[in-house]
Amino acid sequence: MPVLVITGTGTEVGKTVTTAAVAAAALAAGRSVAVLKAAQTGVRPDERGDADEVARLAGAVTTAEVARYPEPLAPGTAARRAGMAPVHPHEVAERAAKLAAEHDLVLVEGAGGLLVRFDAAGGTLADTAELLGAPLLVVASAGLGTLNTTELTARELRRRELELAGVVIGSWPGSPDLATRCNVADLPEVAQAPLLGAIPSGAGGLSPAGFRTAARGWLAPRLDGTWDAAAFRTREAS
């Protein structure tokens, strides 16, 4: 798995913190890691972006962005409003492929959900994954409503014949309600893919040292972690 594309079921579901956790676990396993942000929106040229936050939390990763736009909008819209060139799926794929030649693992983080448009032609992160032949990791929210958005994302991946590596819950609350607890069992069913982790709410606020120490415990072995989905489901159901 030299390239893993990380998408979400929407905005603010925990993609960046999840990307940081995957990077931290891979680094702890002795792998070299690069993090590529396909399109960074909502930040000025002098501000830190999502890839920078991944590096702060995870450690010694190579970071890169394909494009950056000032307004917090979908990349295609942000590019148009700023009068800047849009990013295209093939550009993201080409940059990821170059990084993959020099690293054991390249994490490509999208913007928003799977079908957020990069350009006027309707190019998306899904197109980038297809060009790369890379699996995708879907980051989902924990609570009510997540089953619908997760299943829609998974169905689109299957329609495109793209590999869904699994689902990670991007922010697991300290006191989950009934719907949230039930979603632990239901998410892999609707996605038809394994649940590969649950990142605790507030994980991004940990110190970098604390984050790196804990990250493997949030992720399944497929992501270089020690997290056990069955044990988690049993514990949270009680």
Side-chain angles (χ1 to χ4, degrees), residues 12-36:
E12 304 299 324
V13 295
K15 286 192 307 297
T16 298
V17 175
T18 299
T19 301
V22 175
L27 288 170
R31 305 168 75 189
S32 60
V33 180
V35 176
L36 176 63

Side-chain angles (χ1 to χ4, degrees), residues 44-69:
R44 299 189 306 269
D46 60 337
E47 289 184 309
R48 293 172 58 83
D50 291 342
D52 298 312
E53 178 64 5
V54 171
R56 184 186 73 82
L57 290 169
V61 301
T62 299
T63 60
E65 294 175 355
V66 179
R68 173 178 285 218
Y69 307 108

